[in-house]
Amino acid sequence: MSVSPNTGGIYFEMPRLTSVSMICWTDSQWWDGTNRWFKVNSLYGQGYMIANQVSNQTSVGHC
């Protein structure tokens, strides 16, 4: 999880299969084949995740 939609803000590596709820999306830094980042809520707080790390994606609006 990152405090900003880029790899420079990464502050926490959540355990695999941690449940998140998607809030919105934004396009920013390209990483691992995509530039789409989701703002998410989790039991560890709120932050950004690169889209290809979020499974079971739902439809959310732009941030």
Side-chain angles (χ1 to χ4, degrees):
M1 185 164 6
S2 179
V3 295
S4 58
N6 59 59
T7 57
I10 293 177
Y11 69 94
F12 183 72
E13 206 168 309
M14 293 188 295
R16 286 187 179 273
L17 304 177
T18 298
S19 179
V20 299
S21 33
M22 296 167 51
I23 300 168
C24 59
W25 63 269
T26 189
D27 289 339
S28 185
Q29 176 188 5
W30 281 87
W31 188 75
D32 200 23
T34 186
N35 70 334
R36 177 74 34 105
W37 293 76
F38 291 116
K39 189 171 190 178
V40 298
N41 273 325
S42 77
L43 65 105
Y44 300 103
Q46 193 173 95
Y48 290 88
M49 292 178 67
I50 192 76
N52 55 11
Q53 293 180 343
V54 179
S55 59
N56 300 319
Q57 296 176 9
T58 59
S59 180
V60 293
H62 189 270
C63 295

